[in-house]
Amino acid sequence: VAVFEKKRGPAAKLLLAGKSGLNVSNSRLDASNYDGPLARFQSLLKMFSVQDWLDFIKALGVPTFKGTSQRYFVEDLKAAPLLKNWIHMLKEQGVEFYYGMELSDFNSTGNQVKLTFDEGNEWIGNAACFCLGGASWEPDETPLRWPSIFTNKEVAFTSFTAANVGYEVSWSEDFLKEAEGLPIKNIILKSKLGEMPGEIMITRYGLEGTPVYSLKEPQTIVIDLK
């Protein structure tokens, strides 16, 4: 198995998430949280459940705990120990890692697939899994380059839309001096879509957090607080 990474190092998304406390799963996770055929995700989660994932992380020497938001976090809240142990385990099993390798094309013939990278390097194997990032991860790359690799082969591509959208709130500067970046814990957030317990985060522009993402309305709501 070979892993090819466009960036100069591994797991940029994981490391970024670890800056604010790495959560690795959610105790409320079930097949209904995913778009697509329900039976498919029911089958996948039965094959590899949340507990299976937590056991895997524990086997890497990284304990986890469940927070008040019902999400699971690594014990020290940082991503680096998990990433280091995970890559070490994979390398011991013979997995090879290559960095600074941006995909430029792929072709399949018979039982083989050939990957071509931006500097002309090629790799031939029996199968390939494409793990491709969203537009927010490459703000200076407009438009993203990788979708054209697929659309040129007449593979359907749905344009990116925003996800995990927070609510905008017109906080006063005095309020932000006291509260920006602080969590509001053990709350129940209610909207027309239902209610969810958890915690939310006060940000400069408004509110973030799992309950907000789960119960968001189709449009952004701006709340003017006096």
Side-chain angles (χ1 to χ4, degrees):
V1 175
V3 176
F4 299 96
E5 168 60 53
K6 173 182 175 179
K7 295 186 180 296
R8 298 295 173 181
K13 185 173 183 179
L14 196 66
L15 292 170
L16 182 62
K19 289 184 177 180
S20 58
L22 182 65
N23 74 84
V24 292
S25 192
N26 194 311
S27 63
R28 299 191 188 92
L29 181 65
D30 61 41
S32 65
N33 295 122
Y34 297 93
D35 292 330
L38 183 64
R40 175 186 298 171
F41 288 103
Q42 287 174 331
S43 174
L44 290 172
L45 290 172
K46 186 176 181 180
M47 291 167 56
F48 193 77
S49 66
V50 170
Q51 190 58 52
D52 291 330
W53 169 233
L54 296 175
D55 290 343
F56 173 79
I57 295 175
K58 183 179 179 180
L60 293 176
V62 181
T64 61
F65 69 94
K66 185 165 70 172
T68 57
S69 64
Q70 304 305 306
R71 292 179 293 176
Y72 292 99
F73 295 81
V74 293
E75 190 171 68
D76 63 359
L77 301 178
K78 299 184 182 301
L82 171 61
L83 179 60
K84 178 182 177 181
N85 294 356
W86 198 349
I87 290 181
H88 177 73
M89 179 269 287
L90 291 171
K91 286 183 175 180
E92 283 198 328
Q93 294 181 355
V95 177
E96 298 176 339
F97 289 83
Y98 300 90
Y99 302 113
M101 302 283 285
E102 182 175 354
L103 183 72
S104 60
D105 197 10
F106 70 92
N107 290 282
S108 59
T109 54
N111 294 324
Q112 289 188 325
V113 59
K114 181 173 75 173
L115 305 182
T116 304
F117 299 92
D118 57 348
E119 295 183 355
N121 296 311
E122 295 181 345
W123 177 86
I124 297 175
N126 300 113
C129 176
F130 299 101
C131 306
L132 305 164
S136 62
W137 289 95
E138 297 290 356
D140 299 325
E141 185 182 315
T142 306
L144 281 182
R145 291 188 285 269
W146 69 256
S148 64
I149 300 173
F150 296 87
T151 55
N152 290 341
K153 298 180 184 296
E154 298 184 349
V155 176
F157 173 75
T158 302
S159 297
F160 291 111
T161 56
N164 286 2
V165 178
Y167 282 131
E168 293 182 354
V169 182
S170 297
W171 306 121
S172 70
E173 283 300 321
D174 288 341
F175 177 79
L176 288 173
K177 288 178 183 178
E178 300 260 350
E180 183 178 3
L182 296 180
I184 305 175
K185 294 180 175 289
N186 297 321
I187 58 94
I188 297 176
L189 184 66
K190 300 179 180 179
S191 80
K192 294 178 181 178
L193 301 179
E195 62 181 59
M196 175 177 284
E199 64 181 57
I200 55 178
M201 182 76 70
I202 298 171
T203 70
R204 173 153 290 273
Y205 81 85
L207 295 171
E208 294 269 3
T210 300
V212 176
Y213 306 151
S214 301
L215 302 178
K216 62 180 180 291
E217 302 285 346
Q219 69 280 350
T220 301
I221 292 179
V222 180
I223 304 171
D224 212 356
L225 297 184
K226 304 298 183 184

